[in-house]
Amino acid sequence: MRKPTTSAEIRQAFLDYFEEMGHTPVASSSLVPGNDPTLLFTNAGMVQFKDVFLGMDQRPYPRAVTAQKVMRVSGKHNDLENVGPSARHHTFFEMLGNFSFGDYFKSDACRFAYQLLTEVYGLFPDRLAYTVHHDDDEAYNIWVNEVGIPPERVHRLGDKDNFWMMADVGPCGYTSEIHYDRRPEAGLESLGHSFDTDDGRFLEIWNLVFMQFEQQPDGSRIALPRPGVDTGMGLERLVAVMQGKEINYETDLFMPIIRATQALTGQSDAEREANIVPYRVIADHMRAACFLIADGVRPGPNGRDYVCRMVMRRAMRFGTKLGFDEPFLATVADAVIDNMRDAYPELEKQREAIKRTVTNEERRFSRAMERGLSQLDAMLDALSPGGQLLGQDAFFLHSTVGLPFEITRDVAQERGFSVDDGGFLAARERHAEKAGAGTFQAIDRGQFYLQLLEDLRAAGQVQEGVVQNQYGDLQVEANILALIRINEEGAVQLAEEVYAGERVEVVLDYTPFYVESGGQVSDTGTLVSADGSFVIDVEDARKPVGGLIVHIGEVIEGRAVPGAVRVEVDEARRLDIIRNHTATHLLHEALRRRLGTHVQQRGSLVAPDRLRFDFSHDAALTTDEIHDIVRDVNEQILKNLPVQIEWKALELARAEGAMALFGEKYAANVRTVAIGNGGGRYSYELCGGNHVPETAVIGLFNITSEGAVAQGVRRLEAVTGRAAEKFVAVRMAALSTVAKNLGASPDDVPERVAGCRGRCASSSRNWPPRKAALRVCSSRTCAPRRSTGHKCWWPASRTWKAKPCAR
């Protein structure tokens, strides 16, 4: 049997072997523990089975095998400072594990491990060494007498190395570790000395935990009625051993990511190796960031969100060492996803969200990082050689510029200085106490905003309410009237100041932001203080009560306080939105002309990346109908029809034929949007949204999907402009790939596929075979198998050889 060599093969071989040994493959749990609020992240393979080992949960299987996503960046598992310089430290890694819940115990666990390493992975027995607890004669005898390991290869160690405890009380037990000998020429005589002194000769690759005791509050231990097994083997270390690499980063788990970064820098291999630490940090941290975002974590100021932000910002900072001064991490994220998506499909599903989140964070941090590093350099220049940066100074950079403490520490250490960790933590505590001095509103949020509006009116800061002009200039001057801090639970509190990294709602006296209404989403943008001392990134705008608009976002630089600001709406995003909004009007009219005047709008979404339109119709649209509608809309775009907006009396607009939304209430005066001139106009509707001045601005229009929403209601999704160009490019690339595989021109693909379908149908009449079942595949030779647990046709008899597997 061929030895697995790639990381994908090595991972799959582990899962396959234990499945053949009667273990149930269990998918990796999220990096966010669902059953343990005491953990920041999943930090071991057994976390998802913790309640099983504690007797609080039962599974329908006694044995399990997993490839588990793991993060270790906090507490006793904090490896962050070693990531990059070290050959084997990572924030994110994969833990391969097999588990027994009161089924088998030490004998089988040791036998399984030895057989997998030597027979499946093909490691030489004389390159392996073993440690057991000095009191665990049972494990020692199993290795020596049952498995056949020479006694001189088994070494006894104490609690520090070979005893495991879940907590101060609860399940615990002896462990046995399997190590790879990196210097076999040193001989067996020095084996014990190497283990005792930890001289680097042996690399731990597998830890077998035998949970056989329960620690009591008084320190005593009693035997568990059903002992269990929990093992963990780091995939990254195993792959390095299997691929003959001394450094994990040189394996195929990391090199595709490193090469993607290198392609962006344009450096040669020699130049890359001469400056390898930034490449390693970026590769490691982007693996962590991609998996965190895919599991729902987003960059933010606290908890898990802070870790996500910190690893991204640390990667950005090391990117500056490679010459990057523009966002680049989305390209690195693509390499991570491409390398890992077969084993973890959630990465592919969340690709666009991952790239968008990463790029947004880069844009937020780029300006703050430049300013923060400049201030840090000035602080360090003022220190004596080898001095220590005050904790309060490190916290100042963290709170006002958004420079993570970890980056401050990195820079200080690179220049030969240290940072007062305790002082930083104390300053952070003082800030937390000050920020929480007021009372977060536990009352109804609506009442809070009503009271705020009343107070602003009483102070003369607003008349009836905030002045809004979403149809005018996108860059204006305004004043911050109120800052509202938002805590992790979503409660609100008026604040005199808000620091970098904190969530905030901002009330202005004047705003050009469009606030979500009529299907059109809210604008995003920035607020920059008049003196440039702070920047707020606005992610959303809402109207919690009539007359009050809040701009929701995060302080990304400085200390935000009330006063004069420059308000800037994201112009490119607004343009994408208005392209889609005007296209929605064209689509509505095209549907009525093609399907009939019974078509009425039942809902819509106008976003920057797509539009969605729900309408009344009792049948699915045919291909011809969709083609006609797309052609009609694009014809109106090519005509470059003017888009005319006027305010009119409601009755006059209706008399002129303006369409109104079903069930919508309108004021006496309404805003009308007409596409086309006079009697030749194409569309005429009542609408309060933003639109393009002429239809040609929309660019290309394409329908991407059609389906049912409810009985008598259909839904279309479509794209315009840049999104439409991307949609066409992807489809054309797919067509070219299919044509190439068929050996045909793109024009001939439909005919060739139709012909192939007929031949395939006639050749597969006898497939699947009789007495076959569609079930989880257990074939280790199944070529299309990409991840454990896929289903395929498998014959009732395991001796049947015609086709081992066919999906």
Side-chain angles (χ1 to χ4, degrees):
M1 182 177 65
R2 187 179 71 88
K3 182 173 73 171
T5 55
T6 69
S7 58
E9 292 172 343
I10 293 166
R11 181 194 299 112
Q12 193 60 51
F14 184 91
L15 298 170
D16 288 347
Y17 171 81
F18 279 103
E19 187 176 3
E20 290 182 1
M21 296 299 111
H23 294 64
T24 297
V26 179
S28 171
S29 62
S30 169
L31 285 171
V32 179
N35 63 340
D36 192 342
T38 66
L39 289 178
L40 193 65
F41 295 111
T42 298
N43 60 11
M46 62 79 60
V47 169
Q48 67 168 311
F49 303 117
K50 178 180 177 180
D51 288 346
V52 181
F53 285 119
L54 290 172
M56 300 165 58
D57 185 22
Q58 287 187 339
R59 298 293 175 97
Y61 42 80
R63 304 178 176 193
V65 58
T66 66
Q68 173 65 49
K69 301 175 289 188
V70 169
M71 280 284 293
R72 292 187 179 176
V73 289
S74 60
K76 69 177 183 178
H77 295 304
N78 188 349
D79 293 336
L80 185 67
E81 292 180 76
N82 294 318
V83 174
S86 167
R88 283 176 290 277
H89 278 86
H90 308 291
T91 55
F92 169 88
F93 60 96
E94 295 178 73
M95 185 72 81
L96 305 176
N98 58 290
F99 305 87
S100 167
F101 311 122
D103 186 17
Y104 63 84
F105 198 44
K106 296 182 184 180
S107 179
D108 283 340
C110 295
R111 179 174 55 83
F112 289 153
Y114 183 80
Q115 185 179 51
L116 176 65
L117 291 175
T118 59
E119 296 182 18
V120 177
Y121 289 142
L123 297 182
F124 293 114
D126 59 4
R127 295 297 294 269
L128 300 176
Y130 310 80
T131 62
V132 298
H133 192 272
H134 54 62
D135 291 335
D136 194 0
D137 294 334
E138 182 183 6
Y140 180 89
N141 291 329
I142 289 170
W143 284 123
V144 173
N145 299 324
E146 293 186 23
V147 180
I149 306 300
E152 56 270 26
R153 290 193 174 275
V154 184
H155 189 65
R156 295 177 184 263
L157 293 170
D159 284 359
K160 178 177 179 292
D161 297 285
N162 285 100
F163 196 86
W164 178 88
M165 298 179 65
M166 182 178 291
D168 292 337
V169 296
C172 59
Y174 301 132
T175 72
S176 180
E177 295 178 347
I178 304 175
H179 299 257
Y180 186 75
D181 190 350
R182 300 165 62 202
R183 296 196 299 271
E185 67 278 3
L188 295 178
E189 297 79 10
S190 62
L191 181 146
H193 176 77
S194 292
F195 276 122
D196 291 336
T197 59
D198 193 17
D199 63 4
R201 172 180 171 181
F202 291 101
L203 175 67
E204 179 197 336
I205 56 175
W206 205 343
N207 187 20
L208 314 182
V209 178
F210 308 126
M211 278 186 268
Q212 62 187 108
F213 306 116
E214 183 175 358
Q215 182 88 3
Q216 301 298 299
D218 63 3
S220 63
R221 295 169 185 162
I222 61 174
L224 288 173
R226 298 181 67 205
V229 172
D230 155 28
T231 84
M233 177 160 56
L235 178 66
E236 288 73 13
R237 290 191 178 191
L238 176 63
V239 171
V241 169
M242 294 287 291
Q243 295 181 356
K245 305 295 184 182
E246 288 289 319
I247 299 171
N248 293 0
Y249 292 99
E250 294 177 355
T251 68
D252 66 355
L253 285 167
F254 293 92
M255 283 309 298
I257 308 168
I258 289 174
R259 290 195 185 99
T261 307
Q262 181 184 357
L264 295 174
T265 66
Q267 292 185 343
S268 65
D269 289 352
E271 290 171 323
R272 181 195 72 206
E273 291 305 310
N275 194 22
I276 194 61
V277 170
Y279 284 100
R280 292 178 182 175
V281 172
I282 291 167
D284 174 272
H285 286 12
M286 283 311 297
R287 287 193 350 143
C290 288
F291 276 94
L292 285 171
I293 296 168
D295 279 349
V297 181
R298 293 295 183 269
N302 300 304
R304 299 181 181 103
D305 296 343
Y306 174 77
V307 173
C308 184
R309 164 166 289 171
M310 181 268 296
V311 295
M312 278 196 278
R313 292 189 172 185
R314 196 165 184 259
M316 295 172 210
R317 188 251 164 177
F318 275 91
T320 63
K321 292 175 170 287
L322 298 179
F324 291 113
D325 55 11
E326 294 290 336
F328 72 99
L329 291 179
T331 301
V332 182
D334 271 329
V336 174
I337 296 166
D338 290 343
N339 201 39
M340 305 289 283
R341 62 185 176 185
D342 289 341
Y344 300 97
E346 63 268 26
L347 290 174
E348 184 61 52
K349 292 178 183 177
Q350 296 293 326
R351 183 188 290 267
E352 293 307 316
I354 291 169
K355 293 170 63 177
R356 182 171 60 250
T357 301
V358 166
T359 301
N360 287 343
E361 186 66 15
E362 280 188 283
R363 288 171 176 161
R364 282 180 174 177
F365 188 52
S366 58
R367 176 178 168 180
M369 179 169 60
E370 181 179 350
R371 180 181 172 193
L373 291 177
S374 175
Q375 292 187 37
L376 175 57
D377 283 338
M379 291 177 180
L380 296 176
D381 288 342
L383 296 177
S384 301
Q388 184 178 68
L389 183 69
L390 294 176
Q392 63 190 41
D393 289 339
F395 181 74
F396 170 81
L397 296 172
H398 169 79
S399 62
T400 63
V401 189
L403 197 68
F405 173 77
E406 292 78 7
I407 292 180
T408 298
R409 184 175 56 195
D410 285 344
V411 175
Q413 290 177 347
E414 289 170 6
R415 293 189 52 183
F417 299 101
S418 62
V419 182
D420 179 10
D421 296 35
F424 172 84
L425 294 174
R428 188 173 66 180
E429 286 296 322
R430 289 194 297 271
H431 168 72
E433 291 174 4
K434 181 180 178 181
T439 303
F440 278 95
Q441 298 297 313
I443 62 173
D444 178 71
R445 289 279 291 267
Q447 184 61 41
F448 170 83
Y449 293 116
L450 284 171
Q451 184 63 51
L452 174 59
L453 180 58
E454 184 178 325
D455 293 344
L456 292 175
R457 286 170 176 166
Q461 292 178 289
V462 299
Q463 298 301 315
E464 292 302 313
V466 173
V467 178
Q468 180 188 21
N469 182 10
Q470 66 269 47
Y471 308 124
D473 292 339
L474 299 183
Q475 298 184 8
V476 301
E477 306 295 331
N479 290 288
I480 293 179
L481 303 181
L483 294 169
I484 304 167
R485 183 181 283 114
I486 312 169
N487 72 4
E488 292 182 7
E489 288 73 37
V492 293
Q493 170 200 39
L494 282 175
E496 296 181 359
E497 56 187 14
V498 181
Y499 287 85
E502 293 185 321
R503 302 285 299 168
V504 67
E505 292 181 352
V506 182
V507 178
L508 303 173
D509 60 349
Y510 178 92
T511 182
F513 276 68
Y514 185 90
V515 179
E516 183 174 356
S517 178
Q520 180 178 328
V521 300
S522 298
D523 285 325
T524 62
T526 57
L527 309 178
V528 183
S529 62
D531 60 1
S533 62
F534 68 82
V535 180
I536 299 174
D537 184 59
V538 179
E539 305 164 358
D540 198 3
R542 298 286 181 187
K543 189 177 289 185
V545 294
L548 189 70
I549 294 172
V550 294
H551 304 74
I552 305 167
E554 181 180 322
V555 182
I556 61 172
E557 182 179 342
R559 179 178 61 90
V561 295
V565 289
R566 176 77 170 170
V567 184
E568 300 179 0
V569 172
D570 187 332
E571 187 173 359
R573 183 177 180 274
R574 167 75 80 86
L575 181 57
D576 287 335
I577 291 171
I578 65 177
R579 286 189 181 110
N580 284 334
H581 202 156
T582 307
T584 302
H585 286 220
L586 294 176
L587 174 60
H588 191 182
E589 182 60 28
L591 285 165
R592 290 171 62 86
R593 296 190 181 202
R594 182 63 177 83
L595 304 179
T597 55
H598 67 281
V599 169
Q600 289 186 331
Q601 180 176 337
R602 287 290 184 265
S604 68
L605 170 69
V606 180
D609 58 334
R610 73 191 192 285
L611 66 89
R612 187 179 70 219
F613 190 77
D614 298 343
F615 59 98
S616 54
H617 190 59
D618 57 4
L621 272 63
T622 67
T623 300
D624 288 342
E625 287 171 337
I626 292 175
H627 287 170
D628 289 346
I629 292 163
V630 171
R631 183 173 58 249
D632 190 4
V633 172
N634 280 313
E635 283 180 1
Q636 309 315 313
I637 293 172
L638 289 171
K639 289 178 182 178
N640 198 23
L641 300 175
V643 179
Q644 300 173 322
I645 297 173
E646 292 185 65
W647 287 88
K648 294 183 180 180
L650 175 60
E651 294 306 317
L652 175 59
R654 281 178 169 165
E656 293 175 343
M659 274 196 297
L661 291 183
F662 178 79
E664 190 77 14
K665 292 183 178 180
Y666 293 95
N669 287 304
V670 293
R671 189 169 179 265
T672 65
V673 178
I675 302 177
N677 286 311
R681 62 189 173 201
Y682 181 80
S683 167
Y684 189 30
E685 295 192 31
L686 307 183
C687 179
N690 299 103
H691 290 273
V692 298
E694 300 94 15
T695 57
V697 177
I698 297 172
L700 183 63
F701 170 88
N702 244 309
I703 291 176
T704 59
S705 69
E706 189 273 345
V709 178
Q711 185 173 357
V713 180
R714 307 297 299 179
R715 170 172 291 175
L716 288 174
E717 293 203 3
V719 288
T720 67
R722 294 183 294 180
E725 292 174 2
K726 181 179 178 180
F727 174 78
V728 171
V730 170
R731 290 294 177 92
M732 290 301 295
L735 176 61
S736 297
T737 300
V738 172
K740 182 179 179 180
N741 291 338
L742 292 174
S745 69
D747 291 339
D748 293 335
V749 164
E751 182 179 351
R752 291 290 297 275
V753 170
C756 175
R757 187 185 302 127
R759 291 194 299 274
C760 291
S762 63
S763 65
S764 61
R765 286 174 185 153
N766 295 323
W767 186 259
R770 289 184 177 183
K771 297 182 180 180
L774 185 63
R775 63 186 181 88
V776 173
C777 178
S778 56
S779 169
R780 295 176 64 185
T781 59
C782 173
R785 183 174 189 178
R786 297 228 175 171
S787 62
T788 187
H790 90 264
K791 292 187 176 181
C792 60
W793 290 105
W794 187 257
S797 170
R798 291 294 294 268
T799 61
W800 184 74
K801 299 292 186 182
K803 290 186 179 180
C805 174
R807 288 174 116 172

